[in-house]
Amino acid sequence: MRRIVVLLIAMAAALIVASGVAFAVIKDCQPDIKCVGTPETDVLTGTSGSDRIYGLANSDSLHGLGGGDQLVGGGGADDLRGGYVPNTTATDDGANDTLSGSGGSDTYIFGNGWGADTIIDKDIVDETPATGNRVYLLTTTTGNMAITLESDSGPRPEVSNGTNTINWDGNVIDNVNVSLGSSNDTITGNSRANSITTYAGGGNDNISSGGGDDSINVRDRAGNDTVDCGDGNDKVILDVGDIVSNCENQNRQ
């Protein structure tokens, strides 16, 4: 009986392999060697060297760790982290990474001192703040942070904080979550539905969301921020001392 069970299991495994079914993988990649996932939901982790990691389809997590990495998410809503090490302090490695989402609502995560990075992604038709690609900045460094979601396709970086920059072409990023420091920071949205959320920080920040039905949260319990929601039917959560204009729905906490 035992032999029959073992034989049936082996036959089933052979049939799955023959049918081309791919299982999700948790994989440690090798430096300077192309590392490819499966069509399922994968977790691919790089090294301290220069990695080339490709997630293929579905919603993957790609972690480049150290070195100048190239991360390509493929289809699905991917989590791409160039030099930021998960489950540690929010410190990046400072190398220059290229992060490519290639479809789906992707999240790009950066820690302190991320370097000069580049995002390559597709323009998503974004009508609500719940959709679109997102930049997540786990930063608490000093110095002014400037974020502009409206790309000008020129040399000016869309995100800058001292020597740290992020560049992208086109309106591929609609949403931003950022931990700000004590400086006076600036965030400028684009003409679509933006989701803008700030954490911590002690400066007097300036947020302008532009057009679209935006969702803004600047309740950081510090500073006197200025928010201009622009056109559209917008929602804002803010502190008592913040100044707002053109915001249809206000919630002071």
Side-chain angles (χ1 to χ4, degrees):
M1 181 66 180
R2 183 179 178 182
R3 292 180 179 177
I4 295 175
V5 172
V6 172
L7 179 60
L8 290 174
I9 293 174
M11 292 175 60
L15 288 173
I16 291 174
V17 172
S19 65
V21 175
F23 294 96
V25 299
I26 299 176
K27 184 176 183 180
D28 292 331
C29 301
Q30 300 299 314
D32 296 317
I33 297 176
K34 187 175 181 179
C35 182
V36 182
T38 72
E40 305 304 318
T41 301
D42 303 316
V43 178
L44 306 176
T45 303
T47 68
S48 59
S50 298
D51 304 305
R52 294 179 294 153
I53 305 176
Y54 297 78
L56 297 184
N58 227 313
S59 299
D60 305 308
S61 294
L62 277 58
H63 305 155
L65 303 186
D69 305 311
Q70 181 180 21
L71 310 183
V72 181
D78 302 308
D79 176 346
L80 298 98
R81 313 181 185 205
Y84 168 61
V85 182
N87 303 318
T88 68
T89 57
T91 301
D92 214 303
D93 69 322
N96 301 334
D97 303 311
T98 299
L99 314 176
S100 178
S102 302
S105 294
D106 303 311
T107 299
Y108 299 90
I109 301 178
F110 303 86
N112 285 338
W114 66 83
D117 293 348
T118 301
I119 291 175
I120 302 172
D121 211 322
K122 295 182 179 179
D123 189 347
I124 296 176
V125 177
D126 183 17
E127 301 297 338
T128 71
T131 60
N133 300 313
R134 181 178 301 273
V135 164
Y136 210 124
L137 293 154
L138 306 174
T139 56
T140 55
T141 54
T142 59
N144 295 335
M145 172 81 72
I147 302 172
T148 303
L149 300 184
E150 190 78 47
S151 173
D152 66 353
S153 299
R156 174 188 59 80
E158 280 62 49
V159 179
S160 63
N161 178 233
T163 59
N164 302 299
T165 61
I166 307 174
N167 282 87
W168 63 78
D169 289 335
N171 290 322
V172 300
I173 303 295
D174 291 330
N175 310 310
V176 59
N177 293 60
V178 56
S179 295
L180 297 173
S182 59
S183 299
N184 300 327
D185 306 296
T186 302
I187 302 175
T188 305
N190 56 31
S191 60
R192 304 196 300 201
N194 301 139
S195 171
I196 299 173
T197 302
T198 64
Y199 310 100
N204 301 322
D205 305 313
N206 192 305
I207 292 88
S208 176
S209 61
D213 298 337
D214 305 306
S215 177
I216 301 171
N217 188 339
V218 292
R219 189 174 64 88
D220 53 13
R221 303 301 192 194
N224 294 317
D225 303 318
T226 300
V227 179
D228 183 353
C229 292
D231 296 331
N233 185 17
D234 308 304
K235 300 177 181 179
V236 61
I237 299 174
L238 65 160
D239 297 313
V240 174
D242 294 337
I243 302 170
V244 298
S245 60
N246 301 313
C247 301
E248 288 74 20
N249 303 286
Q250 303 178 22
N251 183 0
R252 292 185 182 271
Q253 300 181 6

